[in-house]
Amino acid sequence: MSEAAAPDEIGMEAIAQRAGVQRRTVFRHFATREELLVAFWPWLNAKIGASPAPHDMRDVIDGPRNAFPRFDAHEAAMRAALHSRTGREMRMDTVTGRRALFAGALAPVLTRLPPAEAQKVEALAHLLFSASAWEGLKDYGGLTGAPAGETASWALELILSAVSPGDHSADVTSQAKEKMR
């Protein structure tokens, strides 16, 4: 459905036609189009795997590498989520939980930094592990999902190794390091 238009532009009649049901059937389950869209976004996120839930730094670093190819596979829906009013509302509803997950996953690094620096590092992690980064790398960088994911993961690895204590060389990505072994 989102291939043709942004969710904010889709009417209940079109939704019913696409689903192969009568309009009244849609209304039996969803009183309004807004209720339908509220249910649609979590379903879509689960289908695509678009909601990050990192548990540690490795999950944050590998997140774009794993997610961005899936974003490519659902490009129209991802762009609708980025550029529609309901997509923005859906994303904003997840901010508090997302921040808590990222703060927990990055705690080993963030707790050792001054608060202003920790905030910058966490903000960059959110940006690089996001559909917005995928879209920017795709549109402006000319990268498809896998290379875009590798690029964002590499940038996260560089940033986190630069602020981590000890020797965490980030001259190459962890995937490349594993291949060299």
Side-chain angles (χ1 to χ4, degrees):
M1 178 95 315
S2 59
E3 299 292 330
D8 293 339
E9 301 167 358
I10 299 170
M12 292 298 266
E13 186 65 36
I15 293 168
Q17 283 180 344
R18 176 72 177 194
V21 299
Q22 296 291 318
R23 187 170 184 228
R24 68 175 176 246
T25 303
V26 176
F27 278 110
R28 202 173 296 137
H29 296 281
F30 304 99
T32 66
R33 190 171 67 73
E34 286 69 31
E35 282 183 24
L36 175 69
L37 291 174
V38 165
F40 171 74
W41 291 118
W43 172 84
L44 179 66
N45 281 338
K47 180 179 178 178
I48 296 174
S51 295
H55 300 292
D56 56 33
M57 281 198 327
R58 179 57 34 204
D59 288 347
V60 173
I61 291 168
D62 290 338
R65 183 179 292 122
N66 297 326
F68 289 10
R70 291 194 305 265
F71 294 175
D72 262 8
H74 302 279
E75 182 171 347
M78 293 307 299
R79 289 184 186 274
L82 287 168
H83 301 292
S84 68
R85 178 187 50 81
T86 56
R88 176 173 169 65
E89 289 170 0
M90 174 272 304
R91 288 191 321 279
M92 296 313 294
D93 285 346
T94 68
V95 167
T96 301
R98 179 182 166 108
R99 284 183 178 157
L101 287 168
F102 274 68
L106 297 171
V109 170
L110 298 180
T111 56
R112 296 178 175 167
L113 297 173
E117 287 183 30
Q119 184 179 25
K120 291 175 187 176
V121 169
E122 186 178 344
L124 285 169
H126 284 286
L127 172 63
L128 290 166
F129 188 174
S130 73
S132 296
W134 161 79
E135 185 180 50
L137 289 167
K138 185 172 184 69
D139 293 351
Y140 301 119
L143 301 175
T144 58
E150 182 60 35
T151 300
S153 289
W154 173 69
L156 281 164
E157 198 160 31
L158 282 172
I159 292 164
L160 293 172
S161 68
V163 297
S164 295
D167 182 21
H168 301 299
S169 177
D171 54 346
V172 293
T173 65
S174 57
Q175 274 193 341
K177 288 177 191 175
E178 289 176 17
K179 288 178 185 176
M180 287 191 250
R181 292 180 190 174

